[in-house]
Amino acid sequence: MGLLTIATILFLLYRLLCTLPSRRPVVKHEKTKSFAVFLGSGGHTGEALTLVSALDFSRYCPRTYIISQGDTFSEQKAAALEASKATAVVSSCPAQYTILTIPRARRVLQPLVTVPQTALISLLSCIYHITITHSPFRGRSSFADVLILNGPGTCCMLCIAVYINKFLGLAAPRVIYIESFARVEALSLSGKLLYPFVDRFIVQWQQLAEKAKRAEFHGLLV
């Protein structure tokens, strides 16, 4: 094995280590912060919007709601939340919100043999929106300061896209995963996959926090 190969491997390992979640303290700032939240449809959307509704929209803006293709329910619920909050949004944040649609990583009842193809399409879409559309070469700001996830599987594609930005040294949002209220005794599949990689991992049941060392428990959130 040549020196160039060894150096390349060491560099790649170093970049991978740099992307691992940090336990940096959260510093409070007065300026506004942008955030994005993935609405996973159904109960996932209900939980995510309940969490988001508690935020001060005059401080957390602009906002991006990420939905899967064909999920008109989540789109309508996000628009309804924004309409109910409209009077609280200050003029200093004119770009209030956007709704971003991405392909599903897996459709309901989709055969497993076709999942790799749809997951790849979903991942490429996430990379386009997070890495390419908001690249510094286009003079665009980062995708968001914070990305909130709570399942289902498509959120894994979003997390991978964020890590590509981290690996390349580009601006990337801090990722917060909030496990569903329904997960009382065991993590969801998405939670198990993302547990080692997100910046903060929050559960809503004490007994679940005791099983996952990095998990945070702040009581019932929804």
Side-chain angles (χ1 to χ4, degrees):
M1 184 180 296
L3 290 177
L4 180 59
T5 303
I6 295 175
T8 301
I9 293 174
L10 291 176
F11 174 75
L12 292 176
L13 290 174
Y14 169 74
R15 289 304 306 156
L16 288 173
L17 288 174
C18 289
T19 64
L20 292 178
S22 65
R23 299 299 296 176
R24 293 174 294 176
V26 178
V27 180
K28 293 184 178 181
H29 297 284
E30 295 301 323
K31 66 179 182 179
T32 59
K33 291 288 186 180
S34 61
F35 79 86
V37 56
F38 176 61
L39 306 180
S41 76
H44 289 292
T45 289
E47 290 188 13
L49 291 180
T50 298
L51 291 165
V52 169
S53 66
L55 297 176
D56 179 357
F57 277 26
S58 64
R59 180 179 178 186
Y60 292 94
C61 64
R63 299 169 294 280
T64 302
Y65 299 92
I66 308 170
I67 65 173
S68 300
Q69 282 182 341
D71 186 8
T72 56
F73 170 83
S74 294
E75 183 175 5
Q76 293 169 356
K77 289 296 183 180
L81 173 62
E82 286 289 334
S84 69
K85 288 273 195 174
T87 56
V89 179
V90 296
S91 59
S92 60
C93 189
Q96 298 179 13
Y97 78 100
T98 58
I99 294 179
L100 173 63
T101 302
I102 60 175
R104 294 179 184 270
R106 185 193 179 198
R107 298 183 296 274
V108 178
L109 302 180
Q110 179 183 346
L112 291 177
V113 69
T114 63
V115 170
Q117 178 181 350
T118 54
L120 177 60
I121 293 173
S122 178
L123 174 60
L124 292 176
S125 176
C126 293
I127 293 173
Y128 173 77
H129 290 294
I130 294 177
T131 304
I132 299 177
T133 301
H134 292 83
S135 71
F137 303 105
R138 292 193 172 194
R140 303 288 295 275
S141 60
S142 62
F143 177 72
D145 294 313
V146 177
L147 172 62
I148 302 173
L149 306 173
N150 82 326
T154 304
C155 70
C156 295
M157 304 300 108
L158 288 164
C159 189
I160 292 174
V162 169
Y163 263 78
I164 289 176
N165 270 32
K166 290 184 177 182
F167 183 83
L168 296 176
L170 301 176
R174 289 177 61 83
V175 181
I176 300 176
Y177 184 88
I178 303 175
E179 188 59 279
S180 172
F181 169 82
R183 309 305 300 193
V184 179
E185 298 292 341
L187 298 178
S188 63
L189 178 58
S190 296
K192 291 177 181 177
L193 292 173
L194 297 182
Y195 175 76
F197 305 106
V198 297
D199 294 290
R200 298 183 66 182
F201 191 96
I202 301 174
V203 297
Q204 301 189 61
W205 296 94
Q206 180 66 52
Q207 58 268 35
L208 197 54
E210 294 172 354
K211 297 179 180 179
K213 294 182 179 179
R214 290 188 60 240
E216 302 177 35
F217 173 69
H218 303 287
L220 299 179
L221 303 177
V222 297

